[in-house]
Amino acid sequence: MTDFVRFLAAWALLHESADEGWKAAIARGRAQSPGDAEAGPDAFVDGLAALVESEKERLKQELAQQGDQGHATRGEDAALAAQVDAVRFELAELRGRIESLQASIDALVAQKGD
Amino acid sequence: MASRGRTIAAVALGRLSRAVVEARLGLVRGHARRAIFARHARLACEALGPAFIKLGQLASVRPDVFAPETVFEMEQLQDRVPAVPAEDIEAIVRHELGRPVQDLFAEFRAEPVATASIAQVHRAELARDYRPVQGALLPAGTPLAVKVVRPGVEASIEADLAVARRWAARLEKLSRLARWRPAALLEEFEHTLASELDLRNEGRVADRFARDFSDDARVVVPRVVWPLTTRRILVTEFVEGWRLNDLGEAERAGIDARGLAAHGAEVFMRQVLVHGRYHADLHPANLFVTPDGRICYLDFGIVGRTTPSQRIAIAQVLVATVYGDADRALRYSRELGLEIPQHQEAAVRARVVELMQRTLSAPGRADVRGFALGFLEMLADFRIPIPSGYGLLVKALVTVEGVARAIYPDIDIVESARPFATRLIAAQLARPERLRERLPAALSAALRELAA
């Protein structure tokens, strides 16, 4: 069960699940007394959401303590590289258009010379 | 002008009267009658020259407007015209670039390698190194394809369009034809044609396409030489290979034809469903297979686009189709704008199930073209309007199959599409926003199962 909750917490941390429905379920789950989670499927979901949320916070702290900055940096680097690549392509595209326009201008100048 | 109008009228009426006779004055019904009229419409387009050939090509990518028989008939349009003399082509090059071909190219061959009603293509050689927009440097001596718009084409098209505008205005007044919105259609056609006559647009699309598939070593897109490209001239690298319609047994033996066919299908689906830009004039004459077993795309004159929401819906319909799930296909079809009246739902569903069983699930090879044609006919029978995004999907499926079979005739495209379709849906579902959307419902459902 702990592994299952930890798995859900890791998933929630990865995707930062924080929509209103999820938040409300966590709040209801935190307000439950022992045994309330057995009152039915909805109550169980609320209790599980609260459990996952607290496990998620624990996971966050663990990761922060490990000082694992490398992963985030790699992700940022990849995003930056993709952006640079996109800009570089647009610049090359623009160069192509300018070269074509230059060819047309040269032709007009040549015609004028004729 | 008036005489051209009379010529067009004579050809159109001549073909129409032959079609009426062939259809036994209307005694031949349904699909057979539509096929007769479509064939005569194609022959009329071929007889009337560039503007009408282009009009036919446009009809072939608009199943939302034209009957399915017309759409598939127009794919057969023969665009063969006598070559323009080399000196006329060289004169255009000189006019467009201000210098004779001898100064611009290391070599320019007078014999054209391809001729069509709008442009013709000559071989040449690059005089100086050039760094293209995408990909590696092109060294001096690189073989080139020089595509040149034929002299007088713009004027003859403009003259035909002037006649067509007058006719469209008259046709708008006829209630039977008003639903086709001929004036609006003509305007759209003019826009497409204007874009196609400016070859720089094609060059830009080719560059974008090359970028979209820069991670795919099996896709080749000829690189554009921009300093030699203008509105009437497009210069790209020349790619050696066989056109798909010229691919014989000997050529197929030297390549992994089956793998290439499946890959070709996947590349097209990636265009439609991932990049949202696709080659809308994809027929075997516009595709090459290189001696080292890669696919080369040519002629980016007609390009279609799909929006992100269309892509999701099309992907879902595609998956439903390849897995034979009629309910799911119809559900997502609604998101593409297909409106099935409630009182027809059961009948439409029954026809789709029957069609899927007959064409896609039958023993042996799936028949996507048969499915597409049957589906469009079914919509016509129920008088259900076809939204443009939907027509695109149906055409895309048929195109994929046609191209793949040109490479490997025995391919089962439905079988080949399954892995890609599944990966595509998985990728869509794995997006955080989609997961977040579905998680509470999924958890509740799972827990209800557990609690039951």
Side-chain angles (χ1 to χ4, degrees):
Chain A
M1 183 67 180
T2 313
D3 282 350
F4 174 66
V5 171
R6 199 171 171 82
F7 165 76
L8 286 177
W11 183 89
L13 180 63
L14 188 67
H15 295 292
E16 274 303 335
S17 293
D19 65 354
E20 293 312 307
W22 181 250
K23 282 180 190 167
I26 291 165
R28 285 195 302 271
R30 280 180 178 156
Q32 282 178 352
S33 307
D36 283 1
E38 285 157 36
D42 289 340
F44 185 87
V45 170
D46 295 343
L48 183 65
L51 260 177
V52 169
E53 181 63 15
S54 56
E55 189 64 31
K56 188 177 114 177
E57 290 309 314
R58 253 199 303 277
L59 253 176
K60 253 187 187 172
Q61 282 171 3
E62 274 177 38
L63 289 170
Q65 280 164 4
Q66 286 166 10
D68 187 4
Q69 298 297 314
H71 184 73
T73 311
R74 272 198 300 279
E76 284 167 18
D77 284 353
L80 190 65
Q83 278 181 312
V84 168
D85 187 50
V87 171
R88 191 177 284 143
F89 174 75
E90 283 192 35
L91 200 60
E93 229 182 0
L94 198 59
R95 170 175 57 82
R97 289 171 85 158
I98 290 167
E99 285 168 345
S100 171
L101 286 169
Q102 184 65 57
S104 296
I105 291 166
D106 290 348
L108 288 169
V109 170
Q111 278 172 31
K112 203 175 169 215
D114 290 346
Chain B
M1 181 79 83
S3 74
R4 177 61 179 164
R6 279 196 293 275
T7 306
I8 295 169
V11 171
L13 289 170
R15 282 286 155 200
L16 184 65
S17 54
R18 281 182 209 170
V20 168
V21 170
E22 213 172 306
R24 296 185 199 152
L25 305 177
L27 290 173
V28 175
R29 311 294 295 173
H31 167 70
R33 188 179 63 175
R34 290 195 296 262
I36 290 166
F37 278 85
R39 190 164 51 80
H40 284 282
R42 173 178 62 82
L43 293 168
C45 286
E46 284 176 5
L48 288 168
F52 286 86
I53 286 169
K54 281 291 152 197
L55 183 62
Q57 285 176 345
L58 186 76
S60 80
V61 291
R62 295 300 304 271
D64 53 310
V65 177
F66 299 96
E69 292 80 4
T70 305
V71 166
F72 293 115
E73 183 68 39
M74 290 301 177
E75 283 182 343
Q76 319 297 319
L77 269 169
Q78 298 292 318
D79 190 6
R80 293 206 187 94
V81 287
V84 171
E87 52 269 26
D88 292 355
I89 293 294
E90 288 178 20
I92 291 175
V93 173
R94 189 190 174 106
H95 178 267
E96 286 291 302
L97 293 165
R99 284 182 287 161
V101 290
Q102 297 80 357
D103 292 0
L104 295 162
F105 303 99
E107 188 198 352
F108 184 88
R109 295 194 195 169
E111 191 62 33
V113 288
T115 58
S117 56
I118 299 277
Q120 75 183 40
V121 181
H122 290 254
R123 273 192 79 151
E125 259 183 33
L126 188 65
R128 279 170 292 281
D129 292 2
Y130 176 67
R131 178 160 296 286
V133 167
Q134 183 75 27
L137 182 103
L138 294 170
T142 298
L144 300 174
V146 183
K147 183 175 180 176
V148 182
V149 172
R150 292 161 69 99
V153 160
E154 289 111 322
S156 88
I157 285 176
E158 185 44 51
D160 284 355
L161 287 174
V163 174
R165 277 187 217 107
R166 286 204 305 275
W167 285 13
R170 286 178 198 153
L171 292 174
E172 288 276 352
K173 291 171 187 156
L174 300 174
S175 58
R176 260 184 82 86
L177 296 168
R179 70 185 176 89
W180 276 27
R181 299 176 302 112
L185 249 172
L186 185 67
E187 200 177 314
E188 187 190 327
F189 167 63
E190 285 183 53
H191 179 76
T192 305
L193 203 50
S195 166
E196 207 175 335
L197 283 169
D198 184 343
L199 296 180
R200 291 172 301 184
N201 291 325
E202 189 180 331
R204 280 197 280 274
V205 174
D207 279 342
R208 284 266 157 191
F209 194 90
R211 177 174 161 74
D212 288 345
F213 289 92
S214 57
D215 61 341
D216 190 333
R218 286 206 278 178
V219 172
V220 184
V221 181
R223 287 164 290 177
V224 181
V225 182
W226 285 105
L228 298 171
T229 294
T230 68
R231 204 160 63 82
R232 290 195 184 89
I233 302 171
L234 174 65
V235 177
T236 63
E237 63 181 315
F238 189 93
V239 177
E240 296 284 355
W242 311 283
R243 285 179 190 273
L244 284 200
N245 45 0
D246 297 335
L247 203 61
E249 287 306 316
E251 289 82 16
R252 283 197 194 94
I255 56 172
D256 170 17
R258 192 194 183 102
L260 195 63
H263 189 69
E266 189 170 312
V267 165
F268 187 72
M269 286 188 274
R270 258 183 81 186
Q271 290 172 50
V272 175
L273 300 168
V274 179
H275 298 298
R277 254 190 307 272
Y278 64 95
H279 194 306
D281 190 20
L282 203 63
H283 53 76
N286 282 344
L287 278 169
F288 265 48
V289 174
T290 63
D292 59 353
R294 298 187 297 161
I295 301 179
C296 173
Y297 288 79
L298 300 171
D299 200 348
F300 294 88
I302 305 175
V303 173
R305 282 178 170 75
T306 47
T307 64
S309 61
Q310 269 184 330
R311 277 174 242 161
I312 289 173
I314 289 174
Q316 292 282 5
V317 176
L318 175 73
V319 169
T321 305
V322 301
Y323 283 97
D325 184 343
D327 281 329
R328 191 187 182 91
L330 290 171
R331 189 166 71 244
Y332 280 98
S333 293
R334 285 193 185 87
E335 290 189 24
L336 284 168
L338 193 77
E339 289 175 16
I340 303 164
Q342 208 166 357
H343 68 279
Q344 291 182 324
E345 266 181 25
V348 167
R349 192 192 165 282
R351 278 279 290 271
V352 173
V353 168
E354 183 274 327
L355 193 61
M356 279 180 166
Q357 283 170 349
R358 183 160 46 86
T359 57
L360 303 179
S361 315
R365 198 175 57 175
D367 175 16
V368 171
R369 190 185 180 89
F371 171 75
L373 198 59
F375 192 86
L376 291 173
E377 278 174 23
M378 181 269 295
L379 293 177
D381 291 346
F382 283 103
R383 296 193 178 281
I384 296 168
I386 304 168
S388 58
Y390 207 82
L392 147 80
L393 166 67
V394 175
K395 272 288 291 182
L397 280 171
V398 173
T399 303
V400 163
E401 185 181 58
V403 166
R405 283 199 183 160
I407 302 172
Y408 187 75
D410 291 333
I411 194 162
D412 182 334
I413 205 67
V414 170
E415 210 50 54
S416 301
R418 269 191 189 141
F420 177 79
T422 309
R423 281 203 310 274
L424 192 78
I425 293 299
Q428 281 182 2
L429 289 178
R431 286 185 185 141
E433 65 272 18
R434 291 288 299 254
L435 281 168
R436 243 178 260 138
E437 226 173 73
R438 299 167 67 99
L439 179 74
L443 268 176
S444 295
L447 289 162
R448 267 196 297 276
E449 284 295 317
L450 287 170

